[in-house]
Amino acid sequence: MRIEKQIEAMRKEKKILLMTHQIIGYPDFAANEKVIECFYNNGVDLIELQIPFSDPIADGPVFTKSNQAVLEKGIKVSDCLKFIERMASKYPIPFLVMTYYNILYQYGVEAFIDRCKEIGVQGTIVPDAPLDEARTYYDYSCQQGLAAVSIATPYSDPKRLQEIADIGSGFIYYVPRKGVTGSKTTFGFEILDGIQKAKKETGKTIAVGFGIQGPEDVARLIGTADIAIIGSKIQQVLETEGLSGLDQFLGDIARVNKEE
Amino acid sequence: MKNKMINYLGQNGYFGAYGGRFVPEILIPAVDELNQAFQEILRDEDFYKQYYNLLMDFSGRPTPLTYAEGLSAYFGKAKIYIKREDLNHSGAHKINNVLGQGLLMKKLGKTRVIAETGAGQHGVATAIMAAKMGFQATIYMGAEDAERQYANVFWMKQLGAEVIPVTTGTATLKDAINEALRDWAGNFDNTHYALGTACGPRPFPEMVTFFQSVISKEMKKQINEICGKNPDRIYACLGGGSNAMGAFVEFLQEPGVELVAVEAGGKGEASGKHASRIAYAKAKTGVSQGYKTLFLQDDDGQMLDTWSISAGLDYVGVSPILAHLAETKRVRVLAATDAEVIEAFKLIISKEGLIPALESTHAFAGLFREIADTKPEDVIVVNMSGRGDKDIFNIGEALQDQGWKTFVTERGKAYAD
Ligand SMILES: Cc1ncc(COP(=O)(O)O)c(C=O)c1O
């Protein structure tokens, strides 16, 4: 269980960890590589790389269009895996692969997990693989010592929350609100309360993603969440302010851990 | 009308290897809630009575079973009967399902309905239901389909629905389904997703089949009254599969009745421009849009572009129930090409005075191809799922009708000035 240990060690150093996201191939591999370097230089703790899918139902408009744009260029899953392999050997950061279930299904679920392990990936996040439909995926990952990150929401009742915690590994990806990726989440007391409950009831590491927009949101999560995940906002910052803007954005977030 | 349980079809939302509910975790409570409500109404005779009364009063059921005298005489083979779903209010079978889901929404206390639509028939039916029952409606439609079927967009808007053209992906039906699922994930508190065909996550395939089963319930009674026996064969077109399931379900356990579904062969098998998942054996099992079924996809599992002259059959997946029924050989699946469909259309309109939807014309085209192997004592039913008025632009173009071209051009000019 490598990633759990790594997270435990990292948590000792920081009040909250940061996981950032990139869609592989968007806008192209070279740009991805520069962004990942920027993540690394800014002390990002975990990196989530998304293999594009034609029908990404958990994604909002921004990511949906980027998924499509990559596929229109003819980029294949094997190209994405090669890129991830290169990144994982270049940077000593835990990499997680996010994609949709059909990508694993066509590759062969077990073969895909084996391949992830081979290329140095620490885990996978598959938003349309509910625990009751994709047991093999969760069980085989666990058996191979790879994290199969399961997803919980404020609507998961206590029994289901426990099942989610039991079947998944690595950490729990907590989606704090209804909807898809992209739009802003307001981290009010109710949401923070939900996160706290999920943490207490499962005793697991909780990563919170969907709608985190900047340092204020991350700061608000300190003390409740273990990991903050930033996705669409990074793509937006890159598109409007470029790499130097991203550098500054991540620097601002890193400072959250230093503030009293 | 007796309400027979239909859940012998599947187990826990699976039909053989197909089905399930592969939705993001946030949607699990929504599909659970819906499934529970569906399981309750399955056992509720009063609900069914209320539902069927609404169909009678509002939609015009029972629809007739018309003897196709002209076509039967023309071929001189089997006797052909036509189940007239085109005579439903809004002109297609889609309304059966939508009125059922509308009543279910009331039970669930939802006030807003969302739907996806391909040809626009399901969108119009949903907008009608929302107007009648006092719900707010949002309809997602592939931008390409919205162009092809603008007449239906017009009606949805007049009925008070918001129509959102979807430009992501291939801008057709599957993308409209994705958008509807995304909307649902954000709004399930007050919103019901009225899926229009026998696809998607549990309980939709079974629920839509249940509401469409009125077609074969009536068909069975009618054909037995007229001919004193079950039909020897039933033909239905196959996009998502709601009209085919509706026409087949009461006969599934009658081995003497041959069930034939006809997919969109588009420009033909070799062209790669079609929407035939089963007949051309080009689809593979996969998981998308919340369920597992046969999808047209590449080696990586990315969904492929599809093509059909009829927007309503232009879908990348297929009902998990039909995927299973085809695999177990209970349903035979053919594909009819656009060209065959246009030829069949000409024959039907001239011999019967009927104007079938291009979707439904696929069912006829399948039958015409095979009618030579039937005997005069055979009885065949074709499910005419909808009427063709909505297709006037496509048909006018396909027939290269000069008068129609002139009319459209003149109208266009008048607006441009
Ligand atoms: C008239 C008509 N028939 C058939 C279909 C295809 O749907 P299904 O395969 O679910 O019956 C449509 C879909 O829009 C339709 O409008």
Side-chain angles (χ1 to χ4, degrees), chain B residues 203-246:
Chain B
F204 286 111
E206 221 167 326
M207 185 173 72
V208 175
T209 298
F210 174 66
F211 288 132
Q212 293 294 1
S213 67
V214 297
I215 302 173
S216 49
K217 282 194 176 86
E218 287 176 3
M219 195 193 276
K220 194 174 203 176
K221 187 161 164 273
Q222 290 166 323
I223 199 77
N224 274 281
E225 274 167 17
I226 301 167
C227 300
K229 64 171 201 166
N230 276 333
D232 296 287
R233 254 186 233 179
I234 302 170
Y235 286 84
C237 66
L238 174 53
S242 70
N243 90 92
M245 282 314 300

Side-chain angles (χ1 to χ4, degrees), chain B residues 396-397 400-410:
Chain B
E397 189 176 306
Q400 291 292 306
D401 185 274
Q402 199 45 54
W404 174 251
K405 270 192 189 167
T406 311
F407 168 73
V408 174
T409 321
E410 292 301 318

Side-chain angles (χ1 to χ4, degrees), chain B residues 71-113:
Chain B
L71 285 171
S72 300
Y74 174 80
F75 289 111
K77 290 285 185 173
K79 286 200 250 339
I80 303 168
Y81 288 84
I82 303 174
K83 181 62 176 162
R84 301 290 306 282
E85 291 305 293
D86 61 308
L87 290 179
N88 276 298
H89 177 38
S90 80
H93 72 292
K94 298 279 178 186
I95 194 103
N96 303 329
N97 166 42
V98 160
L99 291 176
Q101 292 200 41
L103 291 178
L104 196 58
M105 270 181 79
K106 286 202 167 161
K107 211 172 130 79
L108 289 169
K110 311 270 167 174
T111 55
R112 175 176 176 258
V113 60

Side-chain angles (χ1 to χ4, degrees), chain A residues 7 12 20 28 37 44 66-67 103 106 117 123 130 140 156 158 169 174 177 180 185 190 198 214 224 226 255:
Chain A
I7 291 173
K12 293 209 175 97
T20 50
D28 53 49
E37 188 183 1
V44 163
S66 332
N67 272 277
I103 300 293
Q106 294 314 317
K117 199 172 164 179
Y140 188 74
S156 314
S169 44
Y174 188 86
R177 59 154 169 81
V180 290
T185 303
E190 219 176 313
T224 42
D226 300 290
R255 264 192 293 285

Side-chain angles (χ1 to χ4, degrees), chain B residues 85-86 90-94 116-123 149 152 173 196-199 208 212 215 236-246 262 277 310-315 318-319 322 356-361 383-388 390-391:
Chain B
E85 291 305 293
D86 61 308
S90 80
H93 72 292
K94 298 279 178 186
E116 85 297 338
T117 194
Q121 293 304 97
H122 176 56
Q149 301 281 353
N152 277 335
L173 183 58
T197 191
C199 291
V208 175
Q212 293 294 1
I215 302 173
C237 66
L238 174 53
S242 70
N243 90 92
M245 282 314 300
V262 188
R277 294 109 333 158
S310 65
L313 301 186
D314 194 359
Y315 179 54
V318 64
S319 173
L322 277 155
L358 285 177
E359 286 82 3
S360 319
T361 310
N383 189 36
M384 182 159 144
S385 53
R387 62 168 192 234
K390 70 179 174 63
D391 294 318

